[in-house]
Amino acid sequence: MYHTVEDVYNRTARSSHPYSDASYIFGLLGQNGLLGREKIQELAAKLEIPRRKGQDLVQWLDSMAIPLSDKDGEVLDEPRILQAISRDRGWMFRRLDPLRLDMDVVTKTLPASFARRRFILPYAWRGNELEIVCYDPLDKELEEDLQRVVKATMRISVTPRKDIERIIQEFFDFRQSIAAAQNVLASPTVDISNLEQYVRLSSPEGCPTDAHIQRAVDHLFHYALDQRASDIHIEPKREETWVRLRIDGVLHTVYRLPKVVHEAVCSRIKAISRLDVAEKRRPQDGRIKIAWKDTEAEVRVSTVPVSFGEKVVLRLQSAEILFSSLDELGFSPRDLEIYERFLARRHGIVLITGPTGSGKSTTLYSTLRHLATPEVNIVSVEDPVEMVHEGFNQIAVQPQIDVTFATILRNILRQDPDIIMIGEIRDLETAEHAVQAALTGHLVFSTLHTNDAVGAVTRLRDLGLAPYLISSTLIGVVAQRLVRLVCPACREPVHHQAGVLTALVSDPPGEGVTGWAGKGCSRCRGTGYFGRIGIYEVFPVSDEVKGLIHEGAPETTLRRQAFSEGVTPLTADGFRKLKEGMTTLEEVLRVAGGG
């Protein structure tokens, strides 16, 4: 029985395997500050060395999810234990990022059965040298087997077993499905049109590729959701098909598929999203609801013909993100208070502005869920419906049967709404109907594509809306962008001089500001960022601003008045998040530009 950290470490026996030597592992955990003395004593008391001799204690400790002594909410896991052992033993330690691996190297160098049995993967060729990642670098039989199979100079790195198992499942299973489909589709006897028909009807006697393509498409969905992707791009090229994921606003190429399977993959996606499988010359839009973990995800599907075939883009929407609490969106306390005052009004128009991908839908849906009660009738008109919610009465725009924003708004007031959400104000007719709804006692929410909040007034004028109608109905405008958050796992302090901060604010602190930046790790795939949050410019239409709008004052005058009343520009809100260590100077400048 071990009673102290020192006693545990003094019993280290280097002759035994480090993964099964409790003395050695406990000593390292204590030395590296991962576990405190009391926790090590507790674990040592539970461990009976004779009974557990030869057991893999790395996996045992990982399964217990023990809280770390110096990090709230984080647990002792396999990567931390292996990293400590590797550092002590002088081994090279590596985490696997699926987005940076070459599928051909991983899947074609070693047989899948061998990789699964020995927890090993080829990582990359460095000239004539093959880098191998494995779980146990002391396995002498493994080294001999590799020499016989690969017959090349090798460099071995240590990788968590869970990483290897995940890559094997994702890469080998996906490659097997694609290869099996390719073998059948490459045959001249296969009728592609029949294949599409069979996939669409899910015929039990369909083409043998059905199951392979179905598994491949299912893998794409689950893989993208696990990687926190917001979009999947399936892009046909001359010789192959690219599959790219947009993660935290940046596209990553994850797969390059044989061109022969492209049409079958597109047909499967079109079939399950209720699109016309036979139509390949015109753009189509559809949607899918898929089960994911303990929740559901909505997938918006868009197809469009391009030079080398049909391109498919799938927008992934998770209810957890789309229906966030208002205080989780990133509003400053002042801006949140003003925005909640907007929501307390009984009638008028509230506009959310920003470019595509700036989080407008999340803000609108979170707002509507905040307002949804049994006493309120909420009606939304959307193109398309982003996420179905029982608390709203959602209407999808269908131009082909003349169901547009304008035509729906002509009749929507007969539905006795309290709150109306219009997906986007695109033309004068829609704007006039929105104003009419606001004037008749309804609270209206909508979006515009403008660079900042004050620019929404100019945009409404450009559409042809009379200034007196704008001044009498507009409650306020929110402009927003999404900035990436600094990765908490690899962040380090960074000091910014006052001179560079003038791009965000006119009067930065003379001593500068110390923020955080990620140096890049396996969790963030070397980007230094993990997740996103909004930066906002909340513009309330005060009595003074109403007067200026009614008089037709220019945008510069409106902006000057707004800032004098305390409106925080996008860059200034980004500066606040920079000071709080949430994001970086480069990221704010990238999405909001210089101020």
Side-chain angles (χ1 to χ4, degrees), residues 97-292:
D97 179 1
L99 301 184
R100 297 181 183 274
L101 292 175
D102 187 328
M103 179 181 282
D104 287 339
V105 173
V106 173
T107 60
K108 294 183 177 180
T109 307
L110 295 175
S113 58
F114 182 80
R116 283 192 177 95
R117 188 173 67 255
R118 309 304 289 270
F119 301 116
I120 184 171
L121 281 178
Y123 182 78
W125 284 98
R126 314 290 186 192
N128 295 325
E129 184 180 58
L130 177 64
E131 184 171 348
I132 297 284
V133 294
C134 69
Y135 173 61
D136 183 2
L138 297 182
D139 187 342
K140 295 300 181 184
E141 293 182 4
L142 172 63
E143 188 173 347
E144 295 172 1
D145 291 342
L146 281 174
Q147 288 293 348
R148 287 195 295 269
V149 174
V150 179
K151 296 179 181 178
T153 305
M154 289 175 292
R155 182 173 57 177
I156 296 179
S157 303
V158 179
T159 295
R161 195 169 88 178
K162 287 183 178 178
D163 285 9
I164 295 175
E165 290 173 336
R166 188 181 75 250
I167 296 299
I168 288 175
Q169 180 182 4
E170 292 172 352
F171 276 37
F172 280 102
D173 291 354
F174 182 72
R175 168 68 73 179
Q176 185 178 15
S177 298
I178 292 296
Q182 182 182 9
N183 289 337
V184 178
L185 290 170
S187 170
T189 61
V190 173
D191 185 348
I192 297 299
S193 63
N194 286 341
L195 168 67
E196 293 174 337
Q197 184 73 4
Y198 288 145
V199 171
R200 187 167 62 87
L201 297 178
S202 299
S203 169
E205 300 178 357
C207 176
T209 55
D210 288 359
H212 304 311
I213 292 297
Q214 180 176 340
R215 283 197 299 268
V217 171
D218 290 349
H219 166 81
L220 280 180
F221 283 130
H222 288 283
Y223 181 63
L225 288 166
D226 287 340
Q227 298 296 321
R228 302 179 298 105
S230 60
D231 301 87
I232 305 173
H233 291 239
I234 302 174
E235 306 175 1
K237 305 299 179 184
R238 188 182 301 277
E239 303 293 340
E240 59 188 4
T241 291
W242 293 2
V243 178
R244 300 198 287 172
L245 302 183
R246 187 178 296 279
I247 303 172
D248 293 336
V250 178
L251 280 171
H252 302 265
T253 301
V254 293
Y255 297 127
R256 296 178 186 269
L257 308 181
K259 186 65 178 293
V260 69
V261 305
H262 176 82
E263 193 167 1
V265 170
C266 292
S267 295
R268 170 64 184 170
I269 294 172
K270 289 162 70 175
I272 61 178
S273 55
R274 298 181 181 178
L275 300 181
D276 184 351
V277 178
E279 179 57 71
K280 299 177 176 63
R281 297 171 300 171
R282 293 187 301 177
Q284 296 188 73
D285 293 298
R287 65 187 309 109
I288 312 167
K289 182 187 287 288
I290 59 176
W292 179 60

Side-chain angles (χ1 to χ4, degrees), residues 101 105 148 172 215 285 380 383 392 421 437 440 505 585:
L101 292 175
V105 173
R148 287 195 295 269
F172 280 102
R215 283 197 299 268
D285 293 298
S380 71
D383 182 21
F392 320 148
M421 193 272 274
T440 52
V505 288
L585 173 65

Side-chain angles (χ1 to χ4, degrees), residues 1-12 18-37 39-49 52 57-58 60-61 64 66 76 81 85:
M1 189 72 65
Y2 306 126
H3 301 288
T4 66
V5 175
E6 291 79 12
D7 187 28
V8 169
Y9 192 66
N10 289 336
R11 290 175 179 266
T12 299
Y19 292 178
S20 59
D21 189 338
S23 306
Y24 175 66
I25 289 180
F26 285 160
L28 281 181
L29 298 180
Q31 282 187 331
N32 286 274
L34 295 172
L35 295 182
R37 185 189 307 270
K39 177 55 70 173
I40 290 180
Q41 290 174 346
E42 178 186 337
L43 291 171
K46 291 181 180 179
L47 194 64
E48 299 176 15
I49 297 300
R52 296 185 181 273
L57 298 179
V58 175
W60 179 67
L61 290 169
M64 297 180 71
I66 305 165
L76 181 67
I81 301 171
I85 295 175

Side-chain angles (χ1 to χ4, degrees), residues 334-529:
R334 174 194 174 276
D335 287 346
L336 181 59
E337 180 184 352
I338 294 173
Y339 188 61
E340 288 178 336
R341 289 208 300 265
F342 294 172
L343 309 187
R345 298 284 289 272
R346 303 292 296 181
H347 56 84
I349 298 176
V350 177
L351 296 175
I352 312 295
T353 73
T356 300
S358 60
K360 299 189 298 297
S361 295
T362 298
T363 300
L364 278 176
Y365 272 88
S366 300
T367 299
L368 293 183
R369 192 183 72 163
H370 175 78
L371 295 172
T373 63
E375 296 79 24
V376 175
N377 178 21
I378 298 178
V379 180
S380 71
V381 188
E382 306 172 54
D383 182 21
V385 173
E386 300 265 3
M387 177 75 72
V388 177
H389 191 276
E390 293 183 354
F392 320 148
N393 297 290
Q394 296 168 281
I395 303 170
V397 168
Q398 302 179 69
Q400 64 273 20
I401 57 173
D402 198 32
V403 178
T404 64
F405 286 118
T407 57
I408 284 294
L409 289 172
R410 290 196 201 105
N411 302 286
I412 208 171
L413 298 184
R414 299 171 190 166
Q415 291 289 314
D416 187 31
D418 297 293
I419 298 171
I420 300 171
M421 193 272 274
I422 305 169
E424 182 182 351
I425 295 179
R426 299 174 178 173
D427 50 42
L428 176 59
E429 187 177 8
T430 304
E432 288 175 337
H433 286 298
V435 167
Q436 185 63 33
L439 289 173
T440 52
H442 303 87
L443 185 58
V444 180
F445 293 89
S446 190
T447 67
L448 280 177
H449 291 283
T450 61
N451 291 327
D452 60 5
V454 178
V457 176
T458 304
R459 174 67 175 148
L460 292 175
R461 288 172 179 166
D462 292 342
L463 287 176
L465 209 57
Y468 75 91
L469 291 176
I470 302 174
S471 63
S472 59
T473 56
L474 190 60
I475 298 173
V477 185
V478 177
Q480 66 178 84
R481 301 288 190 278
L482 290 176
V483 295
R484 291 181 290 176
L485 292 167
V486 174
C487 176
C490 63
R491 68 175 190 169
E492 54 187 14
V494 174
H495 186 75
H496 302 286
Q497 299 293 335
V500 300
L501 296 174
T502 55
L504 300 182
V505 288
S506 57
D507 54 344
E511 66 278 9
V513 167
T514 298
W516 294 89
K519 61 182 179 181
C521 65
S522 59
R523 185 184 183 190
C524 63
R525 302 180 186 85
T527 64
Y529 299 99

